Amino acid sequence: MKIALMGAMPEEIEPIVSKLSNVTITNYGANKYYEGSYNGKEVVVAYSKIGKVFATLTATILIEKFGCDKLLFSGVAGAISSDLNIGDLIIADGLCQHDLDITAFGHPFGFVPEGEVCISTDVTLRETAKAVAKAKGITLKEGIIATGDQFVANADRKNWIESTFKADALEMEGASVAVVCNALDIPFFVLRAISDSADMDAGFDFEAFLESSAKVSADFILSMVDAIER
Ligand code: ADE
């Protein structure tokens, strides 16, 4: 078993890479991949850079070049649900692309032929996350995460994403990982800690809370690696 641990930004993977043993770094596809072990489990860690295209590239490389057979994504998100406050954790049960629009041809938002609006994450990894959260006494929200190539800092856009996709949080990479892993039949999991509320204060809050929320998510992901059965 080789587990891919992916983020989008350096802040999202640094708390993971700093805990690995026997790290080797490979430069590939204009990016760095950190191979190492965590408490005896083989992992490959990378941040993709922001957005759907870079995330698609990195997820594909983690699977096709490095041979990872599970992928866990860790990072931050903007809250949609009013239940979610800064630093809270949400796991995706499904992911959709809020900026995918061929409605001109009569399709729903987020849908293209032969695709699906919402791609589900692996049930076993979700159960593992819930067991880890219970053992640590952490509250974990589960819901839909909406992905798009937009930093959302606007209440109207956020409300539209909520009503259109029933989404609880939004970010810029998760659905790309979902498309890749779904196509390649790799069990995957997406965890996000809230950095902002996707409203007019989002830019300010994101800068203030990126590092602390990214660490909350990364620490939880490492506990998941420990809990995953070999
Ligand atoms: N990731 C964290 N906050 C976000 C926001 N407001 N929009 C898009 N991605 C985010």
Side-chain angles (χ1 to χ4, degrees):
M1 180 174 66
K2 205 191 260 189
I3 305 173
L5 302 175
M6 180 175 160
M9 301 176 70
E11 292 84 350
E12 292 173 329
I13 67 154
E14 193 284 328
I16 298 174
V17 173
S18 65
K19 302 265 170 52
L20 303 185
S21 314
N22 306 319
V23 178
T24 60
I25 304 176
T26 303
N27 286 291
Y28 186 79
N31 207 355
K32 282 191 166 56
Y33 291 81
Y34 301 83
E35 293 175 90
S37 65
Y38 182 72
N39 292 342
K41 294 208 174 85
E42 233 185 318
V43 300
V44 188
V45 187
Y47 76 89
S48 55
K49 301 183 277 286
I50 294 165
K52 295 197 302 181
V53 175
F54 281 130
T56 302
L57 176 66
T58 300
T60 305
I61 290 170
L62 283 164
I63 296 163
E64 290 290 320
K65 177 171 171 64
F66 290 93
C68 293
D69 48 25
K70 288 185 199 322
L71 192 155
L72 313 187
F73 190 102
S74 175
V76 300
I80 297 178
S81 164
S82 54
D83 294 351
L84 287 169
N85 297 308
I86 287 172
D88 288 352
L89 286 169
I90 176 167
I91 63 173
D93 52 21
L95 296 122
C96 58
Q97 297 180 62
H98 68 73
D99 58 351
L100 185 56
D101 178 357
I102 57 163
T103 55
F105 301 97
H107 295 296
F109 284 104
F111 179 84
V112 292
E114 299 180 57
E116 44 193 320
V117 173
C118 188
I119 298 177
S120 297
T121 54
D122 183 68
V123 177
T124 307
L125 290 172
R126 265 189 265 153
E127 292 306 321
T128 304
K130 287 182 218 169
V132 167
K134 194 168 173 203
K136 287 174 163 273
I138 290 174
T139 306
L140 205 55
K141 189 174 169 64
E142 189 173 3
I144 304 283
I145 295 183
T147 301
D149 281 327
Q150 299 168 350
F151 184 83
V152 178
N154 173 308
D156 289 343
R157 179 72 188 164
K158 163 177 153 168
N159 293 338
W160 180 85
I161 293 168
E162 178 174 35
S163 58
T164 308
F165 298 99
K166 308 286 170 256
D168 296 294
L170 54 83
E171 36 83 313
M172 302 180 68
E173 298 82 21
S176 304
V177 169
V179 168
V180 170
C181 293
N182 189 47
L184 298 175
D185 209 15
I186 295 293
F188 74 101
F189 173 81
V190 176
L191 176 72
R192 296 280 185 168
I194 299 302
S195 56
D196 60 83
S197 294
D199 54 13
M200 60 188 261
D201 297 325
F204 180 85
D205 287 344
F206 181 86
E207 287 188 327
F209 297 110
L210 165 63
E211 198 175 321
S212 58
S213 292
K215 182 157 174 20
V216 169
S217 180
D219 288 348
F220 191 95
I221 282 286
L222 287 173
S223 300
M224 276 192 69
V225 172
D226 277 332
I228 288 171
E229 304 288 335
R230 278 169 202 278

